Amino acid sequence: MAKLEEISKPIQKNLDEFAEYMDTLLESEVELVDKILKYLSTSKGKQIRPILVMLTSLMFGEIKQNTYVAAAMLELFHNATLIHDDVVDEATQRRGKPTVNNIWSNQTAVLFGDFFLAKGMIAAIEAEEFEFLKATSHAIKMMSEGELLQIQKTNEIDRDEETYFRVIRGKTASLISTCCKLGALAGGASKEEIAALYDFGDKLGMAFQIKDDILDYVGNPDLTGKILGNDLVEKKLTLPLLYALRQTSEDIANDYLHKIKEVGLSQEDINEIINFVIDKGGIDYAQKVAEDFTNDAIYILKRFPDSDAKTSLIEIANFFVQRDK
């Protein structure tokens, strides 16, 4: 499996230019803003969303300034939602480091997330890229609805796999598909090509989230920065568990659901459920579903001419489903 650094080689120069653009975009006269920005810069994520915007744009020609605008919008909106999610979840760590709300306060974290949102919108408005705003606003609506649906389902004993797919399509796949859409839009693609790449991103995002949910059961905490079984603690019924519950008796399934939803879990309970999911084939099943989404995504790319950008998009699709963090 290619590493993300290798996958992004065709756009490495562009990523460097993008970093400079982001530094300029996020300039502020408020000292606290600069402090938080410096802190966050020490634990940057994979930059998957800017990479997707640039690769899909590169498929149709040169990467231009409007590509950076689209990438900045989506990266800022993504990070704003992470900061806000940490407040909602009362999280104390992200990627193995203390969260903004943990170091400063919930109030500071919410306002800083709002600062990111505002900067993303300003970038699009100043560049007069109103189609970017329209598409991204739709994605944020879908993300909010996905998260709200997940909150609703934590209070219900619901084993519906279709609902799970609705949740992850909203909360994760919507933004990844919008990355691919805006990249194609910035590159000057046709309506049909933009629609195809949006579909590619949707399937990519579904695979990405399913893999995340798998890693919650079998990942290495030193690599993921997450404690195993955290979804169980948050009462989230993800695909590996949903499948495992279907492979056992109604009494056993209801006993696990009762503990997760109403009683609360000890560490011993968490370990037991993780082993149950593994033994009942939940991990293998979810991995197969993620790989099916990945294969469907790669198939969509067959309609496009071969290029370094297309090769990197295929590699990133495989990376999503094979990664260990």
Side-chain angles (χ1 to χ4, degrees), residues 135-288:
T136 307
S137 297
H138 180 69
I140 292 173
K141 179 186 83 75
M142 287 184 66
M143 290 170 68
S144 301
E145 288 176 341
E147 292 287 0
L148 287 166
L149 179 59
Q150 186 167 65
I151 289 170
Q152 174 188 321
K153 292 304 177 183
T154 60
N155 300 316
E156 300 173 6
I157 299 178
D158 192 327
R159 286 183 261 169
D160 179 15
E161 195 171 289
E162 204 53 46
T163 300
Y164 165 78
F165 289 130
R166 280 179 61 201
V167 167
I168 68 170
R169 175 161 278 118
K171 76 172 195 175
T172 301
S174 61
L175 197 61
I176 289 178
S177 57
T178 302
C179 288
C180 298
K181 177 177 182 174
L182 293 199
L185 190 60
S190 68
K191 285 184 179 180
E192 292 77 15
E193 289 166 334
I194 291 168
L197 284 167
Y198 182 87
D199 194 24
F200 165 78
D202 173 73
K203 290 172 170 50
L204 206 61
M206 298 293 281
F208 182 88
Q209 185 58 55
I210 294 168
K211 185 64 177 187
D212 247 20
D213 295 341
I214 291 170
L215 292 174
D216 191 73
Y217 284 90
V218 294
N220 181 342
D222 292 336
L223 295 176
T224 64
K226 300 174 185 177
I227 300 168
L228 287 182
N230 189 60
D231 284 344
L232 294 171
V233 174
E234 294 180 359
K235 303 181 181 181
K236 296 174 183 175
L237 306 185
T238 59
L239 193 58
L241 178 60
L242 289 172
Y243 177 83
L245 291 172
R246 294 202 301 271
Q247 311 310 309
T248 191
S249 70
E250 195 70 15
D251 287 344
I252 292 174
N254 286 335
D255 181 54
Y256 281 133
L257 287 168
H258 178 69
K259 283 184 180 180
I260 294 166
K261 297 286 187 176
E262 298 176 33
V263 177
L265 300 171
S266 66
Q267 188 58 53
E268 184 179 348
D269 290 329
I270 292 170
N271 294 340
E272 180 185 342
I273 294 173
I274 289 172
N275 289 329
F276 164 74
V277 168
I278 294 169
D279 291 344
K280 292 297 180 182
I283 302 303
D284 292 339
Y285 172 77
Q287 181 67 26
K288 174 66 167 55

Side-chain angles (χ1 to χ4, degrees), residues 89-104:
D89 297 339
E90 299 179 356
T92 58
Q93 285 203 333
R94 179 171 289 280
R95 301 185 187 119
K97 290 190 63 177
T99 55
V100 173
N101 53 298
N102 187 16
I103 295 178
W104 285 277

